[in-house]
Amino acid sequence: MTSSNTPAATADIGVIGLAVMGSNLARNLARNGYTVALYNRTHTRTEALVSAHGTEGAFVPAESLADFVTALERPRRVLIMVQAGAATDAVIDEVAPLLDDGDIVIDGGNAQFADTIVRERRLRERGLHFVGAGVSGGEVGALEGPSIMPGGSAESYAALGPLLEKIAAQVDGEPCCTHIGPDGAGHFVKMVHNGIEYADMQLIAEAYDLMRRVLGYTAPQIAAVFREWNRGELESYLIEITAEVLDKVDPVTGKALVDVIVDAAEQKGTGRWTVQSALDLGVPVTGIAEAVFSRALSGSREQRAAARGLTGGDLPSAAEVLGERTADEFVEDIRLALYGSKVVAYSQGFDQIAAGSAEHGWDVDRGALAKIWRGGCIIRARFLNRISAAYAEDPALPALLLAPYFRDAVADALDAWRRVVTTAVRLGVPAPGFATALAYYDGLRAERLPAALTQGQRDYFGAHTYERIDAPAGNKFHVLWSEGGEEVAI
């Protein structure tokens, strides 16, 4: 098939914004037999795409938005792939007046889900469908098959879903795409997906750091460990690429590339959004929050430089702390700690999805989410099959950690996990992801927490009241602390 320079109502879908992600999605669509209209504010980028990849399928390049819209068959499907925020609003404001009732506008960027809710309502009032679609997999996934998380109306998915399912990654004959729920649901779950990704990456980094600093392993040695782990229950995209990164040699210095990269991790905001949303919902996503804060700490380079003279106390040697444990035994402990902590991070993320779904009335199917995350996306992993099965067995599962498989897996990891956290603390090696995940697990399983004292303090200074264990739930009490100490029912 060849490209055309004459817009006509022949295109199945149009893509606005032809940077890497937009271009690759357009090519993916064309490779799958769809005719794709193209528009970019700088037309030379459109021309470059058609020149380089025009033989991959049918493209209809347009120099104006009017020509772009004219090229689309009804109902028109317009995929916007520009920078989130003001740039997205600007494109919507330009293209919406050119569309007709029933046409569909899709935002495939990493938008704030609250913005998506507003945009969906605004365009619905104009008779248009707005779909906030999370797209995961990076530039390779966009081209070869991403995981796609579309929100919006059921009517819009009926027209758009088959197309998205065809270009999505496929696992066991199933597309990694499903209708998530109304308005902002798609972008919400993509946000939480990215938050889980932050936690997963932090835990992997801590596993690497412990092998490096406690055992003295080289980057290639650690790469070999990760490759071995990727053959078992930890098999995942992130474990796979970790080995690749650690094996990479810097051609300038001859050192491992990881040793010449500045140790300051950057972030684009979705992790922060996840934590902010969790705070609003009252969901303790401690693993994700710790990962976000760890990136922030790594980026505080001036503070860290000033603090390098601070004492770590009277630290023992690694040999003293490890005792009779061999290096292989400690590596196995780290593997188990990584798996246990990973389960906690995913459990917390799915808790947040459940809470967000309840808050906004989205009715998100967590088991279906686990299925579409098995391929294409950054957090794809073998154990997502286990998560999907857990929610299939009990869709109302109170916490992923309570599913029989994960309960047993964490129990098997627990002793090793505690040894790893204790070893890190004794040697002054920061392992906040492992430690906070373990603390969350212990807090969740505790019969009684010190929050009782917290409530007593709150009642003392602010008359915030408390409940009693020997009174019906919901009954409130207050002590007249400054008036003789009598307890009264409220």
Side-chain angles (χ1 to χ4, degrees), residues 4-15 35-39 58-78 98-99:
S4 169
N5 289 318
T6 304
T10 58
D12 301 293
I13 189 170
V15 180
T35 299
V36 186
L38 304 172
Y39 175 77
F59 296 106
V60 183
E63 291 193 53
S64 70
L65 272 178
D67 285 347
F68 171 83
V69 170
T70 299
L72 297 170
E73 293 183 340
R74 298 287 311 277
R76 301 181 182 96
R77 293 173 285 200
V78 177
L98 304 176
L99 302 177

PDB file of all heavy atoms in Angstrom, residues 4-15 35-39 58-78 98-99:
ATOM      1  N   SER A   4      -0.948   8.566   0.484  1.00  0.00           N
ATOM      2  CA  SER A   4      -1.692   9.500  -0.371  1.00  0.00           C
ATOM      3  C   SER A   4      -1.536  10.902   0.163  1.00  0.00           C
ATOM      4  O   SER A   4      -1.447  11.109   1.358  1.00  0.00           O
ATOM      5  CB  SER A   4      -3.175   9.114  -0.389  1.00  0.00           C
ATOM      6  OG  SER A   4      -3.941  10.130  -0.989  1.00  0.00           O
ATOM      7  N   ASN A   5      -1.509  11.869  -0.729  1.00  0.00           N
ATOM      8  CA  ASN A   5      -1.423  13.261  -0.297  1.00  0.00           C
ATOM      9  C   ASN A   5      -2.771  13.973  -0.444  1.00  0.00           C
ATOM     10  O   ASN A   5      -2.876  15.168  -0.217  1.00  0.00           O
ATOM     11  CB  ASN A   5      -0.366  14.003  -1.132  1.00  0.00           C
ATOM     12  CG  ASN A   5       1.032  13.551  -0.776  1.00  0.00           C
ATOM     13  OD1 ASN A   5       1.326  13.378   0.395  1.00  0.00           O
ATOM     14  ND2 ASN A   5       1.868  13.352  -1.780  1.00  0.00           N
ATOM     15  N   THR A   6      -3.797  13.252  -0.841  1.00  0.00           N
ATOM     16  CA  THR A   6      -5.111  13.866  -1.040  1.00  0.00           C
ATOM     17  C   THR A   6      -6.081  13.348   0.013  1.00  0.00           C
ATOM     18  O   THR A   6      -6.558  12.223  -0.085  1.00  0.00           O
ATOM     19  CB  THR A   6      -5.661  13.530  -2.432  1.00  0.00           C
ATOM     20  OG1 THR A   6      -4.700  13.938  -3.403  1.00  0.00           O
ATOM     21  CG2 THR A   6      -6.971  14.256  -2.670  1.00  0.00           C
ATOM     22  N   PRO A   7      -6.361  14.159   1.048  1.00  0.00           N
ATOM     23  CA  PRO A   7      -7.263  13.683   2.095  1.00  0.00           C
ATOM     24  C   PRO A   7      -8.635  13.359   1.543  1.00  0.00           C
ATOM     25  O   PRO A   7      -9.210  14.093   0.748  1.00  0.00           O
ATOM     26  CB  PRO A   7      -7.321  14.868   3.069  1.00  0.00           C
ATOM     27  CG  PRO A   7      -6.066  15.648   2.810  1.00  0.00           C
ATOM     28  CD  PRO A   7      -5.815  15.488   1.349  1.00  0.00           C
ATOM     29  N   ALA A   8      -9.159  12.224   1.935  1.00  0.00           N
ATOM     30  CA  ALA A   8     -10.519  11.818   1.588  1.00  0.00           C
ATOM     31  C   ALA A   8     -11.030  10.993   2.755  1.00  0.00           C
ATOM     32  O   ALA A   8     -10.263  10.552   3.600  1.00  0.00           O
ATOM     33  CB  ALA A   8     -10.515  11.008   0.306  1.00  0.00           C
ATOM     34  N   ALA A   9     -12.339  10.802   2.822  1.00  0.00           N
ATOM     35  CA  ALA A   9     -12.926  10.115   3.967  1.00  0.00           C
ATOM     36  C   ALA A   9     -12.654   8.616   3.885  1.00  0.00           C
ATOM     37  O   ALA A   9     -13.553   7.800   3.661  1.00  0.00           O
ATOM     38  CB  ALA A   9     -14.408  10.390   4.040  1.00  0.00           C
ATOM     39  N   THR A  10     -11.391   8.245   4.001  1.00  0.00           N
ATOM     40  CA  THR A  10     -10.980   6.843   3.867  1.00  0.00           C
ATOM     41  C   THR A  10     -10.235   6.327   5.089  1.00  0.00           C
ATOM     42  O   THR A  10     -10.018   5.123   5.196  1.00  0.00           O
ATOM     43  CB  THR A  10     -10.057   6.687   2.654  1.00  0.00           C
ATOM     44  OG1 THR A  10      -8.918   7.545   2.824  1.00  0.00           O
ATOM     45  CG2 THR A  10     -10.775   7.037   1.358  1.00  0.00           C
ATOM     46  N   ALA A  11      -9.839   7.211   5.999  1.00  0.00           N
ATOM     47  CA  ALA A  11      -8.998   6.792   7.123  1.00  0.00           C
ATOM     48  C   ALA A  11      -9.836   6.213   8.259  1.00  0.00           C
ATOM     49  O   ALA A  11     -10.883   6.749   8.615  1.00  0.00           O
ATOM     50  CB  ALA A  11      -8.165   7.964   7.623  1.00  0.00           C
ATOM     51  N   ASP A  12      -9.355   5.101   8.823  1.00  0.00           N
ATOM     52  CA  ASP A  12     -10.037   4.460   9.945  1.00  0.00           C
ATOM     53  C   ASP A  12      -9.821   5.228  11.242  1.00  0.00           C
ATOM     54  O   ASP A  12     -10.678   5.210  12.134  1.00  0.00           O
ATOM     55  CB  ASP A  12      -9.511   3.032  10.119  1.00  0.00           C
ATOM     56  CG  ASP A  12      -9.725   2.186   8.881  1.00  0.00           C
ATOM     57  OD1 ASP A  12     -10.893   1.900   8.569  1.00  0.00           O
ATOM     58  OD2 ASP A  12      -8.718   1.822   8.223  1.00  0.00           O
ATOM     59  N   ILE A  13      -8.683   5.865  11.343  1.00  0.00           N
ATOM     60  CA  ILE A  13      -8.307   6.588  12.562  1.00  0.00           C
ATOM     61  C   ILE A  13      -7.267   7.626  12.190  1.00  0.00           C
ATOM     62  O   ILE A  13      -6.553   7.479  11.182  1.00  0.00           O
ATOM     63  CB  ILE A  13      -7.758   5.619  13.644  1.00  0.00           C
ATOM     64  CG1 ILE A  13      -7.576   6.339  14.985  1.00  0.00           C
ATOM     65  CG2 ILE A  13      -6.472   4.943  13.183  1.00  0.00           C
ATOM     66  CD1 ILE A  13      -7.275   5.400  16.159  1.00  0.00           C
ATOM     67  N   GLY A  14      -7.179   8.686  12.978  1.00  0.00           N
ATOM     68  CA  GLY A  14      -6.171   9.708  12.743  1.00  0.00           C
ATOM     69  C   GLY A  14      -5.323   9.916  13.980  1.00  0.00           C
ATOM     70  O   GLY A  14      -5.813   9.778  15.101  1.00  0.00           O
ATOM     71  N   VAL A  15      -4.064  10.247  13.776  1.00  0.00           N
ATOM     72  CA  VAL A  15      -3.135  10.497  14.881  1.00  0.00           C
ATOM     73  C   VAL A  15      -2.625  11.926  14.783  1.00  0.00           C
ATOM     74  O   VAL A  15      -2.085  12.333  13.745  1.00  0.00           O
ATOM     75  CB  VAL A  15      -1.946   9.516  14.862  1.00  0.00           C
ATOM     76  CG1 VAL A  15      -0.999   9.811  16.022  1.00  0.00           C
ATOM     77  CG2 VAL A  15      -2.433   8.071  14.925  1.00  0.00           C
ATOM     78  N   THR A  35      -6.088   2.289   7.704  1.00  0.00           N
ATOM     79  CA  THR A  35      -5.658   3.515   7.029  1.00  0.00           C
ATOM     80  C   THR A  35      -5.601   4.619   8.070  1.00  0.00           C
ATOM     81  O   THR A  35      -6.582   4.865   8.785  1.00  0.00           O
ATOM     82  CB  THR A  35      -6.628   3.892   5.897  1.00  0.00           C
ATOM     83  OG1 THR A  35      -6.653   2.840   4.939  1.00  0.00           O
ATOM     84  CG2 THR A  35      -6.196   5.188   5.227  1.00  0.00           C
ATOM     85  N   VAL A  36      -4.453   5.305   8.151  1.00  0.00           N
ATOM     86  CA  VAL A  36      -4.192   6.234   9.247  1.00  0.00           C
ATOM     87  C   VAL A  36      -3.960   7.645   8.709  1.00  0.00           C
ATOM     88  O   VAL A  36      -3.035   7.880   7.927  1.00  0.00           O
ATOM     89  CB  VAL A  36      -2.952   5.792  10.063  1.00  0.00           C
ATOM     90  CG1 VAL A  36      -2.780   6.689  11.283  1.00  0.00           C
ATOM     91  CG2 VAL A  36      -3.068   4.329  10.481  1.00  0.00           C
ATOM     92  N   ALA A  37      -4.818   8.571   9.141  1.00  0.00           N
ATOM     93  CA  ALA A  37      -4.586   9.981   8.833  1.00  0.00           C
ATOM     94  C   ALA A  37      -3.545  10.533   9.784  1.00  0.00           C
ATOM     95  O   ALA A  37      -3.503  10.149  10.962  1.00  0.00           O
ATOM     96  CB  ALA A  37      -5.882  10.770   8.956  1.00  0.00           C
ATOM     97  N   LEU A  38      -2.704  11.419   9.294  1.00  0.00           N
ATOM     98  CA  LEU A  38      -1.595  11.945  10.092  1.00  0.00           C
ATOM     99  C   LEU A  38      -1.628  13.465  10.117  1.00  0.00           C
ATOM    100  O   LEU A  38      -1.845  14.107   9.082  1.00  0.00           O
ATOM    101  CB  LEU A  38      -0.254  11.497   9.495  1.00  0.00           C
ATOM    102  CG  LEU A  38      -0.019  10.003   9.301  1.00  0.00           C
ATOM    103  CD1 LEU A  38       1.275   9.774   8.534  1.00  0.00           C
ATOM    104  CD2 LEU A  38       0.036   9.288  10.661  1.00  0.00           C
ATOM    105  N   TYR A  39      -1.389  14.026  11.295  1.00  0.00           N
ATOM    106  CA  TYR A  39      -1.255  15.479  11.381  1.00  0.00           C
ATOM    107  C   TYR A  39      -0.264  15.819  12.476  1.00  0.00           C
ATOM    108  O   TYR A  39      -0.313  15.266  13.594  1.00  0.00           O
ATOM    109  CB  TYR A  39      -2.585  16.169  11.684  1.00  0.00           C
ATOM    110  CG  TYR A  39      -2.424  17.669  11.887  1.00  0.00           C
ATOM    111  CD1 TYR A  39      -2.261  18.517  10.787  1.00  0.00           C
ATOM    112  CD2 TYR A  39      -2.378  18.218  13.162  1.00  0.00           C
ATOM    113  CE1 TYR A  39      -2.073  19.882  10.961  1.00  0.00           C
ATOM    114  CE2 TYR A  39      -2.192  19.580  13.350  1.00  0.00           C
ATOM    115  CZ  TYR A  39      -2.037  20.413  12.252  1.00  0.00           C
ATOM    116  OH  TYR A  39      -1.834  21.768  12.426  1.00  0.00           O
ATOM    117  N   ALA A  58      -1.129   2.113   4.865  1.00  0.00           N
ATOM    118  CA  ALA A  58      -1.798   3.241   4.212  1.00  0.00           C
ATOM    119  C   ALA A  58      -1.851   4.449   5.131  1.00  0.00           C
ATOM    120  O   ALA A  58      -2.477   4.394   6.195  1.00  0.00           O
ATOM    121  CB  ALA A  58      -3.211   2.839   3.804  1.00  0.00           C
ATOM    122  N   PHE A  59      -1.178   5.521   4.741  1.00  0.00           N
ATOM    123  CA  PHE A  59      -1.167   6.772   5.491  1.00  0.00           C
ATOM    124  C   PHE A  59      -1.806   7.883   4.666  1.00  0.00           C
ATOM    125  O   PHE A  59      -1.645   7.930   3.437  1.00  0.00           O
ATOM    126  CB  PHE A  59       0.263   7.189   5.854  1.00  0.00           C
ATOM    127  CG  PHE A  59       0.963   6.231   6.774  1.00  0.00           C
ATOM    128  CD1 PHE A  59       1.961   5.392   6.302  1.00  0.00           C
ATOM    129  CD2 PHE A  59       0.643   6.183   8.122  1.00  0.00           C
ATOM    130  CE1 PHE A  59       2.623   4.510   7.148  1.00  0.00           C
ATOM    131  CE2 PHE A  59       1.291   5.308   8.974  1.00  0.00           C
ATOM    132  CZ  PHE A  59       2.278   4.471   8.484  1.00  0.00           C
ATOM    133  N   VAL A  60      -2.520   8.769   5.336  1.00  0.00           N
ATOM    134  CA  VAL A  60      -3.095   9.942   4.676  1.00  0.00           C
ATOM    135  C   VAL A  60      -2.544  11.177   5.381  1.00  0.00           C
ATOM    136  O   VAL A  60      -3.078  11.611   6.408  1.00  0.00           O
ATOM    137  CB  VAL A  60      -4.637   9.933   4.739  1.00  0.00           C
ATOM    138  CG1 VAL A  60      -5.201  11.125   3.969  1.00  0.00           C
ATOM    139  CG2 VAL A  60      -5.202   8.638   4.193  1.00  0.00           C
ATOM    140  N   PRO A  61      -1.450  11.757   4.890  1.00  0.00           N
ATOM    141  CA  PRO A  61      -0.879  12.940   5.534  1.00  0.00           C
ATOM    142  C   PRO A  61      -1.720  14.179   5.268  1.00  0.00           C
ATOM    143  O   PRO A  61      -2.222  14.374   4.153  1.00  0.00           O
ATOM    144  CB  PRO A  61       0.504  13.056   4.884  1.00  0.00           C
ATOM    145  CG  PRO A  61       0.353  12.393   3.552  1.00  0.00           C
ATOM    146  CD  PRO A  61      -0.662  11.308   3.729  1.00  0.00           C
ATOM    147  N   ALA A  62      -1.886  14.999   6.285  1.00  0.00           N
ATOM    148  CA  ALA A  62      -2.691  16.222   6.145  1.00  0.00           C
ATOM    149  C   ALA A  62      -1.883  17.418   6.617  1.00  0.00           C
ATOM    150  O   ALA A  62      -1.189  17.351   7.629  1.00  0.00           O
ATOM    151  CB  ALA A  62      -3.976  16.107   6.952  1.00  0.00           C
ATOM    152  N   GLU A  63      -1.990  18.524   5.862  1.00  0.00           N
ATOM    153  CA  GLU A  63      -1.264  19.739   6.237  1.00  0.00           C
ATOM    154  C   GLU A  63      -2.069  20.613   7.177  1.00  0.00           C
ATOM    155  O   GLU A  63      -1.519  21.479   7.847  1.00  0.00           O
ATOM    156  CB  GLU A  63      -0.893  20.529   4.979  1.00  0.00           C
ATOM    157  CG  GLU A  63       0.151  19.852   4.116  1.00  0.00           C
ATOM    158  CD  GLU A  63       0.718  20.796   3.066  1.00  0.00           C
ATOM    159  OE1 GLU A  63       1.163  21.897   3.446  1.00  0.00           O
ATOM    160  OE2 GLU A  63       0.702  20.428   1.882  1.00  0.00           O
ATOM    161  N   SER A  64      -3.390  20.406   7.232  1.00  0.00           N
ATOM    162  CA  SER A  64      -4.235  21.198   8.124  1.00  0.00           C
ATOM    163  C   SER A  64      -5.149  20.272   8.906  1.00  0.00           C
ATOM    164  O   SER A  64      -5.434  19.143   8.476  1.00  0.00           O
ATOM    165  CB  SER A  64      -5.079  22.192   7.330  1.00  0.00           C
ATOM    166  OG  SER A  64      -6.071  21.496   6.581  1.00  0.00           O
ATOM    167  N   LEU A  65      -5.633  20.763  10.047  1.00  0.00           N
ATOM    168  CA  LEU A  65      -6.568  19.964  10.826  1.00  0.00           C
ATOM    169  C   LEU A  65      -7.859  19.741  10.065  1.00  0.00           C
ATOM    170  O   LEU A  65      -8.486  18.678  10.180  1.00  0.00           O
ATOM    171  CB  LEU A  65      -6.853  20.649  12.173  1.00  0.00           C
ATOM    172  CG  LEU A  65      -5.901  20.316  13.319  1.00  0.00           C
ATOM    173  CD1 LEU A  65      -6.275  21.103  14.562  1.00  0.00           C
ATOM    174  CD2 LEU A  65      -5.921  18.817  13.622  1.00  0.00           C
ATOM    175  N   ALA A  66      -8.271  20.713   9.290  1.00  0.00           N
ATOM    176  CA  ALA A  66      -9.497  20.562   8.505  1.00  0.00           C
ATOM    177  C   ALA A  66      -9.361  19.399   7.520  1.00  0.00           C
ATOM    178  O   ALA A  66     -10.268  18.561   7.390  1.00  0.00           O
ATOM    179  CB  ALA A  66      -9.809  21.863   7.771  1.00  0.00           C
ATOM    180  N   ASP A  67      -8.215  19.337   6.825  1.00  0.00           N
ATOM    181  CA  ASP A  67      -7.986  18.231   5.899  1.00  0.00           C
ATOM    182  C   ASP A  67      -7.887  16.903   6.653  1.00  0.00           C
ATOM    183  O   ASP A  67      -8.355  15.863   6.181  1.00  0.00           O
ATOM    184  CB  ASP A  67      -6.699  18.460   5.098  1.00  0.00           C
ATOM    185  CG  ASP A  67      -6.856  19.511   4.012  1.00  0.00           C
ATOM    186  OD1 ASP A  67      -8.013  19.873   3.714  1.00  0.00           O
ATOM    187  OD2 ASP A  67      -5.830  19.978   3.490  1.00  0.00           O
ATOM    188  N   PHE A  68      -7.260  16.937   7.804  1.00  0.00           N
ATOM    189  CA  PHE A  68      -7.115  15.750   8.655  1.00  0.00           C
ATOM    190  C   PHE A  68      -8.494  15.190   9.016  1.00  0.00           C
ATOM    191  O   PHE A  68      -8.758  13.990   8.856  1.00  0.00           O
ATOM    192  CB  PHE A  68      -6.337  16.142   9.909  1.00  0.00           C
ATOM    193  CG  PHE A  68      -6.276  15.089  10.989  1.00  0.00           C
ATOM    194  CD1 PHE A  68      -5.338  14.071  10.938  1.00  0.00           C
ATOM    195  CD2 PHE A  68      -7.151  15.131  12.069  1.00  0.00           C
ATOM    196  CE1 PHE A  68      -5.279  13.110  11.945  1.00  0.00           C
ATOM    197  CE2 PHE A  68      -7.105  14.193  13.076  1.00  0.00           C
ATOM    198  CZ  PHE A  68      -6.162  13.172  13.009  1.00  0.00           C
ATOM    199  N   VAL A  69      -9.393  16.062   9.486  1.00  0.00           N
ATOM    200  CA  VAL A  69     -10.732  15.622   9.880  1.00  0.00           C
ATOM    201  C   VAL A  69     -11.512  15.127   8.667  1.00  0.00           C
ATOM    202  O   VAL A  69     -12.233  14.117   8.734  1.00  0.00           O
ATOM    203  CB  VAL A  69     -11.477  16.761  10.602  1.00  0.00           C
ATOM    204  CG1 VAL A  69     -12.951  16.415  10.799  1.00  0.00           C
ATOM    205  CG2 VAL A  69     -10.814  17.047  11.947  1.00  0.00           C
ATOM    206  N   THR A  70     -11.372  15.790   7.542  1.00  0.00           N
ATOM    207  CA  THR A  70     -12.057  15.380   6.312  1.00  0.00           C
ATOM    208  C   THR A  70     -11.660  13.967   5.901  1.00  0.00           C
ATOM    209  O   THR A  70     -12.462  13.223   5.320  1.00  0.00           O
ATOM    210  CB  THR A  70     -11.733  16.363   5.174  1.00  0.00           C
ATOM    211  OG1 THR A  70     -12.193  17.663   5.535  1.00  0.00           O
ATOM    212  CG2 THR A  70     -12.394  15.938   3.866  1.00  0.00           C
ATOM    213  N   ALA A  71     -10.422  13.584   6.199  1.00  0.00           N
ATOM    214  CA  ALA A  71      -9.917  12.273   5.789  1.00  0.00           C
ATOM    215  C   ALA A  71     -10.497  11.113   6.592  1.00  0.00           C
ATOM    216  O   ALA A  71     -10.329   9.950   6.211  1.00  0.00           O
ATOM    217  CB  ALA A  71      -8.393  12.258   5.912  1.00  0.00           C
ATOM    218  N   LEU A  72     -11.173  11.406   7.701  1.00  0.00           N
ATOM    219  CA  LEU A  72     -11.622  10.357   8.617  1.00  0.00           C
ATOM    220  C   LEU A  72     -13.043   9.895   8.328  1.00  0.00           C
ATOM    221  O   LEU A  72     -13.959  10.701   8.148  1.00  0.00           O
ATOM    222  CB  LEU A  72     -11.546  10.863  10.059  1.00  0.00           C
ATOM    223  CG  LEU A  72     -10.160  11.219  10.576  1.00  0.00           C
ATOM    224  CD1 LEU A  72     -10.257  11.943  11.913  1.00  0.00           C
ATOM    225  CD2 LEU A  72      -9.301   9.966  10.714  1.00  0.00           C
ATOM    226  N   GLU A  73     -13.212   8.566   8.324  1.00  0.00           N
ATOM    227  CA  GLU A  73     -14.547   7.994   8.203  1.00  0.00           C
ATOM    228  C   GLU A  73     -15.302   8.178   9.514  1.00  0.00           C
ATOM    229  O   GLU A  73     -14.705   8.274  10.588  1.00  0.00           O
ATOM    230  CB  GLU A  73     -14.448   6.504   7.861  1.00  0.00           C
ATOM    231  CG  GLU A  73     -13.887   6.212   6.474  1.00  0.00           C
ATOM    232  CD  GLU A  73     -13.880   4.725   6.151  1.00  0.00           C
ATOM    233  OE1 GLU A  73     -13.948   3.912   7.094  1.00  0.00           O
ATOM    234  OE2 GLU A  73     -13.804   4.376   4.957  1.00  0.00           O
ATOM    235  N   ARG A  74     -16.646   8.221   9.425  1.00  0.00           N
ATOM    236  CA  ARG A  74     -17.491   8.351  10.611  1.00  0.00           C
ATOM    237  C   ARG A  74     -17.755   6.992  11.242  1.00  0.00           C
ATOM    238  O   ARG A  74     -17.925   6.011  10.518  1.00  0.00           O
ATOM    239  CB  ARG A  74     -18.817   9.026  10.239  1.00  0.00           C
ATOM    240  CG  ARG A  74     -18.690  10.433   9.688  1.00  0.00           C
ATOM    241  CD  ARG A  74     -18.338  11.444  10.766  1.00  0.00           C
ATOM    242  NE  ARG A  74     -19.191  11.343  11.950  1.00  0.00           N
ATOM    243  CZ  ARG A  74     -20.389  11.912  12.063  1.00  0.00           C
ATOM    244  NH1 ARG A  74     -20.876  12.621  11.047  1.00  0.00           N
ATOM    245  NH2 ARG A  74     -21.102  11.782  13.160  1.00  0.00           N
ATOM    246  N   PRO A  75     -17.879   6.888  12.571  1.00  0.00           N
ATOM    247  CA  PRO A  75     -17.550   7.969  13.494  1.00  0.00           C
ATOM    248  C   PRO A  75     -16.042   8.200  13.496  1.00  0.00           C
ATOM    249  O   PRO A  75     -15.257   7.261  13.475  1.00  0.00           O
ATOM    250  CB  PRO A  75     -18.039   7.432  14.852  1.00  0.00           C
ATOM    251  CG  PRO A  75     -17.921   5.946  14.727  1.00  0.00           C
ATOM    252  CD  PRO A  75     -18.254   5.639  13.291  1.00  0.00           C
ATOM    253  N   ARG A  76     -15.655   9.462  13.469  1.00  0.00           N
ATOM    254  CA  ARG A  76     -14.240   9.801  13.416  1.00  0.00           C
ATOM    255  C   ARG A  76     -13.544   9.410  14.715  1.00  0.00           C
ATOM    256  O   ARG A  76     -14.075   9.610  15.806  1.00  0.00           O
ATOM    257  CB  ARG A  76     -14.067  11.292  13.154  1.00  0.00           C
ATOM    258  CG  ARG A  76     -14.705  11.765  11.846  1.00  0.00           C
ATOM    259  CD  ARG A  76     -14.463  13.242  11.637  1.00  0.00           C
ATOM    260  NE  ARG A  76     -15.101  13.739  10.429  1.00  0.00           N
ATOM    261  CZ  ARG A  76     -16.293  14.321  10.403  1.00  0.00           C
ATOM    262  NH1 ARG A  76     -16.961  14.497  11.543  1.00  0.00           N
ATOM    263  NH2 ARG A  76     -16.812  14.751   9.270  1.00  0.00           N
ATOM    264  N   ARG A  77     -12.347   8.850  14.566  1.00  0.00           N
ATOM    265  CA  ARG A  77     -11.549   8.454  15.723  1.00  0.00           C
ATOM    266  C   ARG A  77     -10.237   9.227  15.661  1.00  0.00           C
ATOM    267  O   ARG A  77      -9.434   9.006  14.749  1.00  0.00           O
ATOM    268  CB  ARG A  77     -11.314   6.945  15.719  1.00  0.00           C
ATOM    269  CG  ARG A  77     -12.601   6.151  15.949  1.00  0.00           C
ATOM    270  CD  ARG A  77     -12.438   4.662  15.777  1.00  0.00           C
ATOM    271  NE  ARG A  77     -12.337   4.272  14.377  1.00  0.00           N
ATOM    272  CZ  ARG A  77     -12.569   3.039  13.917  1.00  0.00           C
ATOM    273  NH1 ARG A  77     -12.936   2.086  14.750  1.00  0.00           N
ATOM    274  NH2 ARG A  77     -12.440   2.758  12.636  1.00  0.00           N
ATOM    275  N   VAL A  78     -10.052  10.124  16.612  1.00  0.00           N
ATOM    276  CA  VAL A  78      -8.904  11.029  16.617  1.00  0.00           C
ATOM    277  C   VAL A  78      -8.040  10.724  17.833  1.00  0.00           C
ATOM    278  O   VAL A  78      -8.464  10.917  18.981  1.00  0.00           O
ATOM    279  CB  VAL A  78      -9.369  12.503  16.651  1.00  0.00           C
ATOM    280  CG1 VAL A  78      -8.162  13.435  16.724  1.00  0.00           C
ATOM    281  CG2 VAL A  78     -10.227  12.820  15.445  1.00  0.00           C
ATOM    282  N   LEU A  98     -14.415  20.903  14.703  1.00  0.00           N
ATOM    283  CA  LEU A  98     -14.451  20.318  13.367  1.00  0.00           C
ATOM    284  C   LEU A  98     -15.152  18.967  13.349  1.00  0.00           C
ATOM    285  O   LEU A  98     -15.375  18.395  12.275  1.00  0.00           O
ATOM    286  CB  LEU A  98     -13.022  20.155  12.826  1.00  0.00           C
ATOM    287  CG  LEU A  98     -12.158  21.417  12.789  1.00  0.00           C
ATOM    288  CD1 LEU A  98     -10.743  21.074  12.331  1.00  0.00           C
ATOM    289  CD2 LEU A  98     -12.781  22.465  11.870  1.00  0.00           C
ATOM    290  N   LEU A  99     -15.504  18.459  14.520  1.00  0.00           N
ATOM    291  CA  LEU A  99     -16.079  17.125  14.633  1.00  0.00           C
ATOM    292  C   LEU A  99     -17.596  17.179  14.762  1.00  0.00           C
ATOM    293  O   LEU A  99     -18.178  18.233  15.028  1.00  0.00           O
ATOM    294  CB  LEU A  99     -15.471  16.399  15.838  1.00  0.00           C
ATOM    295  CG  LEU A  99     -13.943  16.249  15.826  1.00  0.00           C
ATOM    296  CD1 LEU A  99     -13.456  15.584  17.113  1.00  0.00           C
ATOM    297  CD2 LEU A  99     -13.486  15.436  14.607  1.00  0.00           C
TER     298      LEU A  99
END
